[in-house]
Amino acid sequence: MLRLLCLVFAVFLGLGLAAQAAEPTLTVSDGTTERLYSRSELLTDPRIREVTIAPDPIYSRSMTYRAIPAARLLEDLRPGADDHIQVRATDGFSVSIPVRLLTQGGSGGAEAFLAIELPEAPWPVLPAKNQTAGAGPFYLVWLHAPRGTISSEYWSYRVAALTVVDSPTKRWPGLAVAAKVPENDPIRHGLERFVAVCMACHRFNGEGESDLGPDLGRPMNPVHYFQPAALRQFLRDPGTIRTWSERKMPAFAKADLSDSDIEAIIAWLSYKAGRR
């Protein structure tokens, strides 16, 4: 009987350890310091609060979350003023966000929160095509962020890690423009929009870290094989130009990507095409 009781105890202990091991975690690091947060730890943080996003741009309806300020997660790190946070997701998505956007808050600007999925109340399946799961366990959401002020790619779901990194042009110098290009030139704005909107899925001439979409510099730059009007339309709504079963690139509303943004991205692509 004693051996049977020990066996039962061992089974329950093993199940408990397995459940604990399976609990979602978030890695936060700056190259020197690394911290691993479990979901239960985040849910008991004293600064957690209820946040309502109306409408949530991913779910296209009002959503209420238990969430913690992103600035709280970064307060033990030492990012520089020009550094970025690389947000990496479990599905391969990766986007670089300026630190200043994630650490500001309470001053009237956009405020970033990490929403945490409750294990007893999982979020709905994402409404996009071919989705079978929700945005959890962690989802970066923004309060006081009118459309167009925060890149649509900064609403990052299924987040697994936040890492302090250099700015994209420091990490990948091939993206940069020459110093002689005027500060107000659309080429510079195009680079900024390319980094904020396109690099979450695309590399350029091998520079970047996402492979969700094709490289936009290799083997050819899009300005070499698209007519100008077709390229504008493709950036606005790729499904109107070509479509296939595995296409992930969405259409962009003008509130998220203006006509001038598209012209600027094309100006930057053209600039890069002329410098090969």
Side-chain angles (χ1 to χ4, degrees):
M1 177 63 72
L2 180 59
R3 292 180 64 184
L4 179 60
L5 289 175
C6 289
L7 178 61
V8 170
F9 176 76
V11 168
F12 277 104
L13 179 62
L15 290 174
L17 290 174
Q20 184 178 15
E23 183 179 20
T25 57
L26 175 76
T27 302
V28 180
S29 65
D30 62 5
T32 301
T33 303
E34 181 174 290
R35 177 72 187 274
L36 193 67
Y37 293 95
S38 68
R39 173 164 61 184
S40 57
E41 182 180 5
L42 292 172
L43 286 171
T44 58
D45 189 283
R47 276 169 281 191
I48 199 167
R49 55 179 280 195
E50 199 168 82
V51 170
T52 297
I53 309 295
D56 182 293
I58 301 299
Y59 281 108
S60 299
R61 64 182 176 89
S62 179
M63 294 286 291
T64 298
Y65 301 103
R66 297 291 290 167
I68 187 171
R72 154 72 183 92
L73 297 170
L74 304 176
E75 64 186 10
D76 294 332
L77 308 181
R78 296 292 182 268
D82 296 327
D83 284 345
H84 281 225
I85 300 297
Q86 197 73 34
V87 182
R88 298 183 176 93
T90 56
D91 59 6
F93 179 90
S94 180
V95 66
S96 178
I97 304 177
V99 163
R100 58 179 174 76
L101 293 180
L102 291 164
T103 55
Q104 69 186 11
S107 57
E111 187 173 5
F113 287 84
L114 186 78
I116 305 157
E117 185 177 39
L118 301 176
E120 69 274 15
W123 298 329
V125 173
L126 294 175
K129 183 180 68 173
N130 299 328
Q131 293 290 338
T132 59
F138 308 116
Y139 170 26
L140 191 63
V141 302
W142 300 79
L143 275 182
H144 317 301
R147 292 179 67 177
T149 63
I150 293 294
S151 169
S152 57
E153 305 306 306
Y154 293 172
W155 294 79
S156 305
Y157 51 84
R158 298 173 187 159
V159 174
L162 306 174
T163 307
V164 178
V165 295
D166 287 334
S167 69
T169 52
K170 284 185 179 179
R171 296 175 74 191
W172 302 298
L175 301 175
V177 302
K180 65 181 180 181
V181 176
E183 287 297 322
N184 61 348
D185 194 296
I187 291 170
R188 291 192 179 276
H189 181 60
L191 169 58
E192 183 272 325
R193 298 310 288 157
F194 180 84
V195 168
V197 178
C198 307
M199 283 198 75
C201 296
H202 300 278
R203 297 176 187 245
F204 185 80
N205 284 339
E207 307 215 37
E209 63 173 52
S210 180
D211 292 312
L212 292 179
D215 190 308
L216 296 183
R218 295 176 180 172
M220 293 180 70
N221 187 307
V223 300
H224 287 144
Y225 55 85
F226 271 113
Q227 292 289 333
L231 181 53
R232 293 185 186 95
Q233 187 173 341
F234 187 80
L235 292 175
R236 171 66 63 212
D237 185 357
T240 63
I241 298 295
R242 63 167 71 127
T243 190
W244 59 98
S245 60
E246 297 303 315
R247 179 175 65 85
K248 296 182 176 66
M249 184 174 172
F252 289 96
K254 290 187 178 182
D256 297 319
L257 190 69
S258 68
D259 288 342
S260 61
D261 287 339
I262 288 177
E263 294 298 331
I265 291 172
I266 293 173
W268 178 77
L269 288 170
S270 299
Y271 168 84
K272 285 298 179 182
R275 295 176 65 86
R276 292 196 65 169

